[in-house]
Amino acid sequence: MYYKLYIDSVFILQMTANLYLLSLAGKVLKCTATHVRIWLGALTGSLLVCMAMLAPVGTMGMRILISAVPVSMCMLCITFRIDHGRKLIHGSLVMAGCGFFWGSIMIWIMNRFRTVLKGKGSLLLTIAAGYAAYRILYGLLTAVRRKQENCLRTVAVYVPALQKELKIQALVDTGNHLADPVSGAPVCLVSVELAGQIASCFRSEKYHVIPYRSVGKDKGILHAYELPEMVIEQEQKIRKEHVIVAVCDTGISKESIYQMILHPRLLED
């Protein structure tokens, strides 16, 4: 018993699958690449798989299995320029996971329409089913990403008055209602480490005392200062003048991905 293999069909199917898997893996790994690099990575992966299938060593299944990890690593290097060993292994596992779910959805779709197209139409059906599975899985990953961003939304913040460019990650906390008791202006919280980096921009004559209440502590006092200007980057840049920031010695750890807790009112134009 033997199977007739059309290498051109294998190349087209593998190329298409690589494009989908690289796009899905980039979504999970939060990596970006140009269209040229994605196509180049997919092309390289297809050529390597075809070469492994044609190699006169061992069985077909064994050759494909052994070459799977090196091929995926090669595609990740070319597409996303990942060259660290541990990151390559992690990326390969992510690609394998994406391939498992993508292939499962594609097989389910093909089984629904297997009786519609047969023979010469099977290649077209496979490509169409692969695209439909890709769109479904990509939509699910996008929905999960948006849910995560809504739960922990951060924006980039800059202080133009600084002599050096300092990118600050700020957490948008809709539960932050801290305000100056006199003017009612919104107050942001910054870590002690960040306060030391931007202290040269503080206006000493604009010192504020901010009373607050929090969970685990009935009440307290925060030392706050005024920044002459602050730029918030999201879809569009938002410039805010005379921004009050309070130094918080608790709640923002050194390991946090953000160094500031932004008041939601500052996002209003």
Side-chain angles (χ1 to χ4, degrees), residues 9 12-13 16 20 106 109-110 113-114 116-132:
S9 298
I12 293 173
L13 291 174
T16 306
Y20 295 153
M106 184 180 70
I109 294 174
M110 290 179 64
F113 299 96
R114 180 65 68 181
V116 178
L117 294 175
K118 294 182 179 180
K120 295 181 179 180
S122 59
L123 179 61
L124 178 62
L125 173 62
T126 303
I127 294 175
Y131 177 75

Side-chain angles (χ1 to χ4, degrees), residues 152-165:
L152 189 63
R153 181 188 172 192
T154 60
V155 294
V157 173
Y158 296 91
V159 180
L162 283 176
Q163 297 298 325
K164 60 179 181 179
E165 183 176 346

Side-chain angles (χ1 to χ4, degrees), residues 1 19 22-23 25 28 41 49 55 57 64-65 74 82 95 99 101 109 115 121 125 143 149 183 196 200 214 266:
M1 183 177 180
L19 288 171
L22 285 172
S23 177
V28 176
V49 169
V57 179
I64 295 176
L65 183 62
C74 185
I82 301 175
M95 281 193 68
F101 289 106
I109 294 174
T115 58
L125 173 62
E149 290 177 350
S183 64
S200 60
S214 64
L266 293 177

